[in-house]
Tab-separated table of all heavy atoms in Angstrom:
chain	number	residue	atom	x	y	z
S	1	LEU	N	154.461	162.300	146.520
S	1	LEU	CA	153.870	162.912	145.332
S	1	LEU	C	153.531	164.375	145.596
S	1	LEU	O	152.828	164.699	146.554
S	1	LEU	CB	152.594	162.161	144.926
S	1	LEU	CG	151.889	162.725	143.687
S	1	LEU	CD1	152.678	162.374	142.430
S	1	LEU	CD2	150.467	162.194	143.591
S	2	LYS	N	154.022	165.256	144.713
S	2	LYS	CA	153.761	166.692	144.856
S	2	LYS	C	153.209	167.324	143.588
S	2	LYS	O	152.872	168.503	143.586
S	2	LYS	CB	155.045	167.416	145.297
S	2	LYS	CG	155.467	167.068	146.712
S	2	LYS	CD	154.401	167.467	147.721
S	2	LYS	CE	154.752	167.100	149.147
S	2	LYS	NZ	153.702	167.510	150.089
S	3	GLY	N	153.119	166.555	142.496
S	3	GLY	CA	152.542	167.086	141.269
S	3	GLY	C	152.411	165.991	140.237
S	3	GLY	O	153.119	164.986	140.304
S	4	PHE	N	151.472	166.177	139.306
S	4	PHE	CA	151.309	165.194	138.235
S	4	PHE	C	150.588	165.820	137.061
S	4	PHE	O	149.888	166.821	137.189
S	4	PHE	CB	150.552	163.947	138.734
S	4	PHE	CG	149.151	164.226	139.198
S	4	PHE	CD1	148.064	164.055	138.361
S	4	PHE	CD2	148.916	164.654	140.488
S	4	PHE	CE1	146.778	164.317	138.789
S	4	PHE	CE2	147.630	164.921	140.935
S	4	PHE	CZ	146.557	164.753	140.085
S	5	VAL	N	150.802	165.195	135.905
S	5	VAL	CA	150.153	165.602	134.665
S	5	VAL	C	149.744	164.335	133.930
S	5	VAL	O	150.401	163.294	134.059
S	5	VAL	CB	151.101	166.476	133.800
S	5	VAL	CG1	152.316	165.701	133.327
S	5	VAL	CG2	150.368	167.115	132.627
S	6	SER	N	148.637	164.414	133.187
S	6	SER	CA	148.226	163.263	132.379
S	6	SER	C	147.783	163.731	131.000
S	6	SER	O	147.183	164.799	130.855
S	6	SER	CB	147.088	162.484	133.061
S	6	SER	OG	145.944	163.292	133.245
S	7	VAL	N	148.120	162.909	129.993
S	7	VAL	CA	147.745	163.171	128.605
S	7	VAL	C	147.191	161.872	128.028
S	7	VAL	O	147.817	160.818	128.150
S	7	VAL	CB	148.945	163.645	127.751
S	7	VAL	CG1	148.511	163.951	126.320
S	7	VAL	CG2	149.622	164.863	128.387
S	8	GLU	N	146.024	161.969	127.410
S	8	GLU	CA	145.396	160.790	126.809
S	8	GLU	C	146.078	160.461	125.482
S	8	GLU	O	146.724	161.311	124.868
S	8	GLU	CB	143.899	161.025	126.611
S	8	GLU	CG	143.163	161.398	127.887
S	8	GLU	CD	143.391	160.444	129.042
S	8	GLU	OE1	143.303	159.221	128.838
S	8	GLU	OE2	143.652	160.921	130.158
S	9	SER	N	145.890	159.228	125.010
S	9	SER	CA	146.619	158.753	123.829
S	9	SER	C	145.881	158.940	122.505
S	9	SER	O	146.488	158.797	121.444
S	9	SER	CB	146.957	157.275	123.995
S	9	SER	OG	145.766	156.517	124.110
S	10	ASP	N	144.590	159.258	122.528
S	10	ASP	CA	143.801	159.341	121.288
S	10	ASP	C	143.802	160.741	120.692
S	10	ASP	O	143.367	161.699	121.345
S	10	ASP	CB	142.350	158.919	121.546
S	10	ASP	CG	142.228	157.449	121.906
S	10	ASP	OD1	143.107	156.661	121.470
S	10	ASP	OD2	141.273	157.093	122.623
S	11	LEU	N	144.283	160.849	119.453
S	11	LEU	CA	144.228	162.118	118.724
S	11	LEU	C	142.782	162.449	118.378
S	11	LEU	O	141.983	161.559	118.079
S	11	LEU	CB	145.031	162.026	117.430
S	11	LEU	CG	146.549	162.030	117.567
S	11	LEU	CD1	147.206	161.619	116.257
S	11	LEU	CD2	147.045	163.394	118.010
S	12	PHE	N	142.432	163.751	118.423
S	12	PHE	CA	141.092	164.181	118.018
S	12	PHE	C	141.176	165.589	117.435
S	12	PHE	O	142.236	166.214	117.454
S	12	PHE	CB	140.106	164.112	119.194
S	12	PHE	CG	140.364	165.130	120.290
S	12	PHE	CD1	139.713	166.350	120.290
S	12	PHE	CD2	141.259	164.855	121.309
S	12	PHE	CE1	139.941	167.280	121.295
S	12	PHE	CE2	141.510	165.767	122.317
S	12	PHE	CZ	140.843	166.985	122.308
S	13	GLY	N	140.058	166.078	116.920
S	13	GLY	CA	140.002	167.440	116.409
S	13	GLY	C	140.396	167.583	114.949
S	13	GLY	O	140.720	168.675	114.505
S	14	GLY	N	140.402	166.459	114.202
S	14	GLY	CA	140.717	166.541	112.773
S	14	GLY	C	142.110	167.087	112.540
S	14	GLY	O	143.087	166.618	113.121
S	15	GLU	N	142.192	168.113	111.691
S	15	GLU	CA	143.510	168.657	111.335
S	15	GLU	C	144.199	169.336	112.516
S	15	GLU	O	145.403	169.586	112.466
S	15	GLU	CB	143.392	169.614	110.154
S	15	GLU	CG	142.576	170.862	110.440
S	15	GLU	CD	142.384	171.727	109.201
S	15	GLU	OE1	142.000	171.183	108.150
S	15	GLU	OE2	142.626	172.942	109.306
S	16	GLN	N	143.458	169.620	113.582
S	16	GLN	CA	144.086	170.210	114.771
S	16	GLN	C	145.071	169.224	115.408
S	16	GLN	O	146.044	169.629	116.032
S	16	GLN	CB	143.029	170.608	115.804
S	16	GLN	CG	142.019	171.608	115.309
S	16	GLN	CD	142.642	172.864	114.744
S	16	GLN	OE1	143.607	173.394	115.290
S	16	GLN	NE2	142.118	173.336	113.635
S	17	LYS	N	144.779	167.921	115.258
S	17	LYS	CA	145.614	166.867	115.844
S	17	LYS	C	145.897	167.148	117.324
S	17	LYS	O	147.038	167.271	117.750
S	17	LYS	CB	146.907	166.686	115.063
S	17	LYS	CG	146.723	165.959	113.769
S	17	LYS	CD	148.064	165.449	113.274
S	17	LYS	CE	147.834	164.331	112.282
S	17	LYS	NZ	149.089	163.817	111.769
S	18	TYR	N	144.808	167.241	118.095
S	18	TYR	CA	144.908	167.463	119.529
S	18	TYR	C	145.170	166.163	120.278
S	18	TYR	O	144.641	165.114	119.918
S	18	TYR	CB	143.580	168.003	120.079
S	18	TYR	CG	143.210	169.410	119.714
S	18	TYR	CD1	141.972	169.674	119.137
S	18	TYR	CD2	144.042	170.488	120.006
S	18	TYR	CE1	141.573	170.974	118.842
S	18	TYR	CE2	143.657	171.789	119.711
S	18	TYR	CZ	142.421	172.027	119.129
S	18	TYR	OH	142.030	173.309	118.840
S	19	LEU	N	145.926	166.267	121.368
S	19	LEU	CA	145.930	165.260	122.420
S	19	LEU	C	145.455	165.976	123.680
S	19	LEU	O	145.797	167.135	123.922
S	19	LEU	CB	147.311	164.649	122.641
S	19	LEU	CG	147.708	163.523	121.692
S	19	LEU	CD1	149.096	162.989	122.043
S	19	LEU	CD2	146.696	162.380	121.690
S	20	ASP	N	144.664	165.274	124.462
S	20	ASP	CA	143.976	165.831	125.614
S	20	ASP	C	144.848	165.793	126.869
S	20	ASP	O	145.178	164.710	127.357
S	20	ASP	CB	142.698	164.993	125.828
S	20	ASP	CG	141.614	165.727	126.562
S	20	ASP	OD1	141.839	166.862	127.005
S	20	ASP	OD2	140.520	165.140	126.691
S	21	LEU	N	145.220	166.966	127.362
S	21	LEU	CA	145.880	167.061	128.658
S	21	LEU	C	144.745	167.062	129.685
S	21	LEU	O	144.041	168.052	129.834
S	21	LEU	CB	146.718	168.336	128.767
S	21	LEU	CG	147.587	168.464	130.019
S	21	LEU	CD1	148.847	169.270	129.705
S	21	LEU	CD2	146.854	169.069	131.171
S	22	THR	N	144.534	165.935	130.336
S	22	THR	CA	143.354	165.771	131.187
S	22	THR	C	143.558	166.215	132.622
S	22	THR	O	142.574	166.461	133.328
S	22	THR	CB	142.868	164.310	131.161
S	22	THR	OG1	143.991	163.444	131.291
S	22	THR	CG2	142.151	164.011	129.850
S	23	SER	N	144.795	166.308	133.068
S	23	SER	CA	145.008	166.834	134.417
S	23	SER	C	146.429	167.356	134.558
S	23	SER	O	147.369	166.841	133.942
S	23	SER	CB	144.740	165.762	135.480
S	23	SER	OG	145.622	164.680	135.351
S	24	ILE	N	146.543	168.403	135.351
S	24	ILE	CA	147.844	168.888	135.808
S	24	ILE	C	147.580	169.567	137.144
S	24	ILE	O	146.761	170.482	137.240
S	24	ILE	CB	148.549	169.824	134.798
S	24	ILE	CG1	149.938	170.229	135.319
S	24	ILE	CG2	147.684	171.009	134.424
S	24	ILE	CD1	150.844	170.885	134.287
S	25	HIS	N	148.230	169.057	138.171
S	25	HIS	CA	148.018	169.574	139.521
S	25	HIS	C	149.334	169.553	140.280
S	25	HIS	O	150.125	168.624	140.136
S	25	HIS	CB	146.999	168.717	140.284
S	25	HIS	CG	145.646	168.734	139.670
S	25	HIS	ND1	144.762	169.779	139.833
S	25	HIS	CD2	145.017	167.831	138.874
S	25	HIS	CE1	143.653	169.515	139.172
S	25	HIS	NE2	143.783	168.353	138.576
S	26	VAL	N	149.526	170.591	141.101
S	26	VAL	CA	150.676	170.669	141.993
S	26	VAL	C	150.132	170.856	143.401
S	26	VAL	O	149.229	171.671	143.629
S	26	VAL	CB	151.621	171.836	141.600
S	26	VAL	CG1	152.750	171.985	142.609
S	26	VAL	CG2	152.176	171.624	140.195
S	27	SER	N	150.677	170.097	144.326
S	27	SER	CA	150.258	170.190	145.728
S	27	SER	C	150.430	171.621	146.230
S	27	SER	O	151.421	172.291	145.908
S	27	SER	CB	151.090	169.214	146.565
S	27	SER	OG	150.626	169.147	147.884
S	28	GLU	N	149.457	172.088	147.014
S	28	GLU	CA	149.447	173.477	147.470
S	28	GLU	C	150.770	173.889	148.125
S	28	GLU	O	151.238	175.011	147.928
S	28	GLU	CB	148.291	173.676	148.462
S	28	GLU	CG	148.142	175.099	148.932
S	28	GLU	CD	146.983	175.293	149.888
S	28	GLU	OE1	146.789	174.450	150.787
S	28	GLU	OE2	146.269	176.296	149.731
S	29	ASP	N	151.397	172.993	148.870
S	29	ASP	CA	152.627	173.320	149.575
S	29	ASP	C	153.854	173.440	148.674
S	29	ASP	O	154.918	173.855	149.126
S	29	ASP	CB	152.898	172.293	150.682
S	29	ASP	CG	152.993	170.865	150.173
S	29	ASP	OD1	152.305	170.524	149.193
S	29	ASP	OD2	153.757	170.073	150.766
S	30	MET	N	153.699	173.135	147.378
S	30	MET	CA	154.846	173.176	146.455
S	30	MET	C	154.604	174.075	145.240
S	30	MET	O	155.400	174.079	144.303
S	30	MET	CB	155.184	171.765	145.973
S	30	MET	CG	155.566	170.789	147.083
S	30	MET	SD	157.117	171.184	147.902
S	30	MET	CE	158.287	170.572	146.698
S	31	ARG	N	153.514	174.827	145.245
S	31	ARG	CA	153.226	175.703	144.103
S	31	ARG	C	154.213	176.858	144.044
S	31	ARG	O	154.726	177.310	145.057
S	31	ARG	CB	151.783	176.218	144.192
S	31	ARG	CG	150.784	175.099	143.986
S	31	ARG	CD	149.351	175.553	144.039
S	31	ARG	NE	148.498	174.366	144.113
S	31	ARG	CZ	147.357	174.313	144.768
S	31	ARG	NH1	146.886	175.370	145.384
S	31	ARG	NH2	146.668	173.194	144.790
S	32	GLY	N	154.455	177.335	142.826
S	32	GLY	CA	155.350	178.467	142.631
S	32	GLY	C	156.820	178.087	142.589
S	32	GLY	O	157.696	178.952	142.620
S	33	MET	N	157.117	176.795	142.490
S	33	MET	CA	158.505	176.332	142.494
S	33	MET	C	158.942	175.779	141.138
S	33	MET	O	160.005	175.187	141.026
S	33	MET	CB	158.684	175.268	143.577
S	33	MET	CG	158.391	175.797	144.975
S	33	MET	SD	158.449	174.520	146.245
S	33	MET	CE	160.191	174.170	146.280
S	34	GLY	N	158.110	175.919	140.110
S	34	GLY	CA	158.478	175.455	138.774
S	34	GLY	C	158.064	174.028	138.464
S	34	GLY	O	158.335	173.534	137.367
S	35	ILE	N	157.410	173.362	139.400
S	35	ILE	CA	156.990	171.979	139.172
S	35	ILE	C	155.953	171.906	138.056
S	35	ILE	O	156.052	171.057	137.163
S	35	ILE	CB	156.459	171.345	140.481
S	35	ILE	CG1	157.605	171.206	141.485
S	35	ILE	CG2	155.791	170.002	140.213
S	35	ILE	CD1	157.167	170.809	142.889
S	36	GLY	N	154.967	172.783	138.084
S	36	GLY	CA	153.931	172.795	137.050
S	36	GLY	C	154.520	172.998	135.662
S	36	GLY	O	154.138	172.314	134.708
S	37	LYS	N	155.481	173.906	135.558
S	37	LYS	CA	156.126	174.165	134.265
S	37	LYS	C	156.855	172.918	133.774
S	37	LYS	O	156.727	172.534	132.603
S	37	LYS	CB	157.111	175.324	134.393
S	37	LYS	CG	157.841	175.639	133.108
S	37	LYS	CD	158.789	176.812	133.267
S	37	LYS	CE	159.480	177.107	131.945
S	37	LYS	NZ	160.357	178.292	132.054
S	38	THR	N	157.599	172.263	134.646
S	38	THR	CA	158.324	171.050	134.260
S	38	THR	C	157.351	169.964	133.809
S	38	THR	O	157.576	169.293	132.795
S	38	THR	CB	159.199	170.549	135.422
S	38	THR	OG1	160.140	171.587	135.751
S	38	THR	CG2	159.949	169.289	135.056
S	39	LEU	N	156.259	169.788	134.545
S	39	LEU	CA	155.249	168.791	134.179
S	39	LEU	C	154.613	169.125	132.826
S	39	LEU	O	154.432	168.251	131.974
S	39	LEU	CB	154.172	168.692	135.259
S	39	LEU	CG	154.623	168.146	136.617
S	39	LEU	CD1	153.521	168.338	137.648
S	39	LEU	CD2	155.045	166.692	136.520
S	40	PHE	N	154.274	170.402	132.626
S	40	PHE	CA	153.633	170.826	131.380
S	40	PHE	C	154.566	170.600	130.185
S	40	PHE	O	154.139	170.094	129.138
S	40	PHE	CB	153.212	172.294	131.465
S	40	PHE	CG	152.303	172.721	130.353
S	40	PHE	CD1	150.932	172.531	130.452
S	40	PHE	CD2	152.806	173.304	129.199
S	40	PHE	CE1	150.083	172.916	129.425
S	40	PHE	CE2	151.966	173.684	128.168
S	40	PHE	CZ	150.593	173.488	128.281
S	41	LEU	N	155.842	170.949	130.339
S	41	LEU	CA	156.794	170.763	129.246
S	41	LEU	C	156.988	169.279	128.926
S	41	LEU	O	157.139	168.912	127.755
S	41	LEU	CB	158.125	171.437	129.585
S	41	LEU	CG	158.072	172.970	129.666
S	41	LEU	CD1	159.408	173.535	130.144
S	41	LEU	CD2	157.652	173.589	128.338
S	42	ALA	N	156.965	168.428	129.944
S	42	ALA	CA	157.065	166.984	129.709
S	42	ALA	C	155.842	166.492	128.935
S	42	ALA	O	155.968	165.651	128.029
S	42	ALA	CB	157.192	166.236	131.036
S	43	ALA	N	154.667	167.016	129.269
S	43	ALA	CA	153.442	166.638	128.558
S	43	ALA	C	153.512	167.073	127.095
S	43	ALA	O	153.131	166.314	126.194
S	43	ALA	CB	152.222	167.264	129.243
S	44	LYS	N	154.016	168.281	126.843
S	44	LYS	CA	154.164	168.758	125.463
S	44	LYS	C	155.102	167.861	124.671
S	44	LYS	O	154.820	167.501	123.527
S	44	LYS	CB	154.700	170.204	125.447
S	44	LYS	CG	153.658	171.250	125.706
S	44	LYS	CD	154.243	172.660	125.709
S	44	LYS	CE	154.787	173.080	124.376
S	44	LYS	NZ	155.159	174.510	124.327
S	45	GLU	N	156.205	167.498	125.271
S	45	GLU	CA	157.192	166.659	124.594
S	45	GLU	C	156.603	165.284	124.272
S	45	GLU	O	156.786	164.763	123.171
S	45	GLU	CB	158.446	166.523	125.465
S	45	GLU	CG	159.562	165.748	124.821
S	45	GLU	CD	160.108	166.390	123.555
S	45	GLU	OE1	160.065	167.634	123.422
S	45	GLU	OE2	160.569	165.633	122.666
S	46	TRP	N	155.900	164.699	125.228
S	46	TRP	CA	155.280	163.391	125.004
S	46	TRP	C	154.233	163.483	123.896
S	46	TRP	O	154.169	162.615	123.020
S	46	TRP	CB	154.650	162.864	126.295
S	46	TRP	CG	154.119	161.480	126.141
S	46	TRP	CD1	154.811	160.315	126.306
S	46	TRP	CD2	152.790	161.103	125.741
S	46	TRP	NE1	153.985	159.241	126.052
S	46	TRP	CE2	152.740	159.698	125.706
S	46	TRP	CE3	151.639	161.819	125.433
S	46	TRP	CZ2	151.595	158.988	125.360
S	46	TRP	CZ3	150.484	161.122	125.103
S	46	TRP	CH2	150.478	159.720	125.059
S	47	ALA	N	153.430	164.542	123.913
S	47	ALA	CA	152.397	164.727	122.887
S	47	ALA	C	153.021	164.857	121.497
S	47	ALA	O	152.527	164.273	120.531
S	47	ALA	CB	151.542	165.952	123.213
S	48	LYS	N	154.103	165.602	121.408
S	48	LYS	CA	154.788	165.778	120.124
S	48	LYS	C	155.288	164.436	119.596
S	48	LYS	O	155.078	164.098	118.429
S	48	LYS	CB	155.948	166.757	120.283
S	48	LYS	CG	156.651	167.112	118.997
S	48	LYS	CD	157.708	168.166	119.250
S	48	LYS	CE	158.312	168.619	117.938
S	48	LYS	NZ	159.229	169.754	118.135
C-alpha cells in the first residue's frame, strides 16, 4: 500500500450535494509521482 482515498456515501449540504472526501494520503516515499492525482480523480468519478 502506497496511497489511498476514501469518500463517504451520505450526501449533505442541501443543494450543494456534497460527498465527504474523508481521507487522501500518499506514502512519503511515493509522493510527487502522480498517485495522489489518480486517487483524487477516482474519488471525483465515484462521487459523480
